[in-house]
């Protein structure tokens, strides 16, 4: 009897709001029949918003594990190892998809996954794992802006097996050429494709068989990012600050969210990177038109990035794991380095409504 092949790992990187989760969910909806996938997600904040979206996307999805309040490539390294092993033991998937946070260093993560593969192979335990590919998602509308302020965004574009241009439909041909040239300056040789409204074919991520090696650039990244170099390590982690925002349930009709919904259109897209919330409200009160069969309160996931937002209905089963009956909404607001205290004070001024709880 031949030993089972190691489980392939596909890693998704990209800055906050680039569309990693949208791309991931689109791939899950296109899973080949009888092909079982598990997802490991790393996100800022302490609310597992994306898990609910991924969990209901495809019946072939074996399971979702979400790691919060830290980065896979440094603080959560040990937890990532245990999470991968637990996913294998619990689900025995055909592939594991790993969605990193917006600040993950792909080279460091690549080395850690290779080390894990060697360790499991040496132990001869279980199926083992292998890194199949790293995919970088780029927001064509906003890349120039965030690449100028985030060293990590540029590194992610440099160290990858495939670059996916997302949201290119919303820019002019000239604007896209500027983004293409900027990315090409960072990385000429890596294949590049455009998504189709946030979706790519499943075949695009299969069998990439990563050839990314421990180059001099990668070695320098690892040295700069090591725990021995505290200054670089802290700089990396502090690119983003998060605020957890909770809305108490004051009544039964969702009026307590009216100011928050107004703020969605006013929030500064050049200062706030991302907002992710789970809310429970009547569809009649949503600031966008959405199809519904009943006007009674329903759970929705709110995703806001660079001034755009959408509401996605989720099941009560998934919602009950994320929000308790005392709240009508809870989620995370992500801002830049050093902006956390300022935004906490601003959001506590009443702009979101009364009795809102904000934790930095």
């Amino acid at each position: 009897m031949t030993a089972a092949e190691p489980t392939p790992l596909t890693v998704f990187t990209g800055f906050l709001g680039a569309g990693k989760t949208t791309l991931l969910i689109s791939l899950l909806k296109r899973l080949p029949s009888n092909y079982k996938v598990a997802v490991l997600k790393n996100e800022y904040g302490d609310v597992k918003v994306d898990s609910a979206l991924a969990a209901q996307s495809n019946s072939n999805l074996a399971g979702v594990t979400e790691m919060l309040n830290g980065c896979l490539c440094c603080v959560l390294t040990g937890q990532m190892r245990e999470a991968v092993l637990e996913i294998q033991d619990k689900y025995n998937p055909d592939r594991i998809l790993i969605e990193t946070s917006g600040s993950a260093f792909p080279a460091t993560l690549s080395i850690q996954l290779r080390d894990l593969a060697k360790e499991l192979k040496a132990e001869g335990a279980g199926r083992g794992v292998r890194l199949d590919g790293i995919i970088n998602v780029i927001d064509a509308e906003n890349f120039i802006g965030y690449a100028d302020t985030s060293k990590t965004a540029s590194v992610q574009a440099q160290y990858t097996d495939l670059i996916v241009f997302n949201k290119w439909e919303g820019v002019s041909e000239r604007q896209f050429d500027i983004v293409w040239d900027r990315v090409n300056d960072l990385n000429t040789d890596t294949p590049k494709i455009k998504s189709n409204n946030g979706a790519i074919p499943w075949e695009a991520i299969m069998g990439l068989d990563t050839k990314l090696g421990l180059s001099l650039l990668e070695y320098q990244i690892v040295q700069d990012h090591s725990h021995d170099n505290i200054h670089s390590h802290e700089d990396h982690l502090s690119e983003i600050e998060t605020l957890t925002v909770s809305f108490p349930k004051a009544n039964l009709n969702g009026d307590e969210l009216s100011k928050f919904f107004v703020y969605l259109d006013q929030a500064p897209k050049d200062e706030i990177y991302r907002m992710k919330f789970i809310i429970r409200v009547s569809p009649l009160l949503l600031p966008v038109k959405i199809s519904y069969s009943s006007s009674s309160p329903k759970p929705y996931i709110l995703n806001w990035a660079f001034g755009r937002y959408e509401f996605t209905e989720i099941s009560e089963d998934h919602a009950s794991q994320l929000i308790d009956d005392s709240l009508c909404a809870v989620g995370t607001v992500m801002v830049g380095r050093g902006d956390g205290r300022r935004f906490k004070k601003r959001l506590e001024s009443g702009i979101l409504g009364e009795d809102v709880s904000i934790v930095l």
Side-chain angles (χ1 to χ4, degrees):
M1 183 182 215
T2 59
E5 288 292 318
T7 306
L9 309 174
T10 302
V11 178
F12 296 84
T13 69
F15 197 67
L16 288 164
K20 298 187 297 296
T21 300
T22 299
L23 186 73
L24 183 69
I25 291 174
S26 77
L27 286 166
L28 294 176
K29 292 177 178 179
R30 290 166 170 77
L31 279 178
S33 59
N34 302 318
Y35 193 86
K36 190 166 61 172
V37 165
V39 174
L40 173 60
K41 291 179 60 64
N42 180 207
E43 188 53 277
Y44 292 103
D46 53 10
V47 183
K48 297 183 177 182
V49 170
D50 288 335
S51 294
L53 288 175
Q56 63 182 19
S57 60
N58 192 294
S59 59
N60 281 13
L61 182 64
V64 181
T65 299
E66 194 158 2
M67 300 171 64
L68 305 175
N69 282 324
C71 180
L72 281 178
C73 66
C74 45
V75 174
L76 301 180
T77 299
Q79 294 181 38
M80 177 185 68
R81 178 189 183 281
E82 296 306 315
V84 169
L85 295 178
E86 181 181 348
I87 286 171
Q88 278 197 309
D89 291 341
K90 187 174 182 179
Y91 303 117
N92 191 28
D94 296 305
R95 180 176 295 263
I96 299 175
L97 306 180
I98 301 176
E99 181 187 337
T100 65
S101 73
S103 68
F105 273 48
T108 313
L109 187 57
S110 168
I111 293 171
Q112 291 163 356
L113 291 174
R114 284 197 182 92
D115 287 346
L116 176 59
K118 292 176 183 177
E119 176 188 335
L120 295 179
K121 184 176 181 180
E123 292 176 354
R127 288 182 56 183
V129 297
R130 67 175 178 85
L131 178 60
D132 185 34
I134 297 176
I135 298 169
N136 179 230
V137 183
I138 286 178
D139 175 354
E141 286 187 346
N142 300 289
F143 178 76
I144 299 299
Y146 65 70
D148 286 340
T149 59
S150 171
K151 173 185 176 183
T152 308
S154 296
V155 170
Q156 290 170 344
Q158 289 173 301
Y159 194 91
T160 182
D161 296 289
L162 177 68
I163 292 174
V164 178
F165 288 100
N166 208 16
K167 306 181 188 178
W168 60 272
E169 297 93 341
V171 301
S172 68
E173 185 175 343
R174 173 58 181 157
Q175 289 173 312
F176 182 75
D177 286 342
I178 292 173
V179 175
W180 181 279
D181 290 343
R182 177 71 176 272
V183 173
N184 251 352
D185 287 341
L186 294 169
N187 189 336
T188 303
D189 299 328
T190 294
K192 304 170 183 67
I193 63 173
K194 292 180 177 179
S195 71
N196 181 9
N197 292 314
I200 60 174
W202 175 257
E203 293 77 13
I205 75 164
M206 298 286 284
L208 288 175
D209 192 21
T210 183
K211 298 297 191 299
L212 298 173
L214 188 59
S215 64
L216 180 61
L217 172 62
E218 176 181 349
Y219 178 80
Q220 185 61 48
I221 292 169
V222 174
Q223 294 303 306
D224 288 347
H225 192 53
S226 69
H227 288 270
D228 293 332
N229 190 332
I230 300 299
H231 179 71
S232 295
H233 178 66
E234 289 181 349
D235 280 352
H236 159 58
L237 287 181
S238 62
E239 277 194 351
I240 305 298
E241 294 184 14
T242 63
L243 300 97
T244 299
V245 182
S246 304
F247 292 81
K249 186 184 295 181
N251 51 55
L252 297 179
N253 58 19
D255 285 346
E256 55 266 63
L257 293 174
S258 58
K259 286 189 176 182
F260 176 50
F261 290 159
V262 171
Y263 185 71
L264 294 179
D265 292 314
Q266 301 174 346
K269 65 179 182 180
D270 55 341
E271 296 181 79
I272 295 180
Y273 288 129
R274 196 78 189 271
M275 288 190 276
K276 289 187 177 184
F277 280 80
I278 177 168
I279 67 174
R280 187 175 274 112
V281 69
S282 167
L284 295 175
L285 298 176
L286 291 176
V288 295
K289 292 182 179 180
I290 192 168
S291 61
Y292 58 91
S293 57
S294 168
S295 61
S296 60
K298 296 178 176 61
Y300 297 90
I301 296 295
L302 163 66
N303 267 309
W304 184 103
F306 298 108
R308 292 185 176 184
Y309 57 89
E310 63 180 1
F311 293 85
T312 305
E313 184 177 350
I314 62 171
S315 69
E316 283 289 350
D317 287 343
H318 290 122
S320 63
Q321 301 174 37
L322 303 176
I323 185 170
D324 62 48
D325 290 337
S326 67
L327 301 175
C328 61
V330 61
T332 304
V333 177
M334 307 171 203
V335 297
R337 178 194 321 209
D339 287 338
R341 291 182 182 276
R342 178 167 60 89
F343 266 93
K344 184 175 187 294
K345 185 176 181 180
R346 181 186 301 180
L347 298 180
E348 287 176 336
S349 68
I351 195 171
L352 300 184
E354 303 300 324
D355 301 322
V356 178
S357 171
I358 302 173
V359 179
L360 176 60

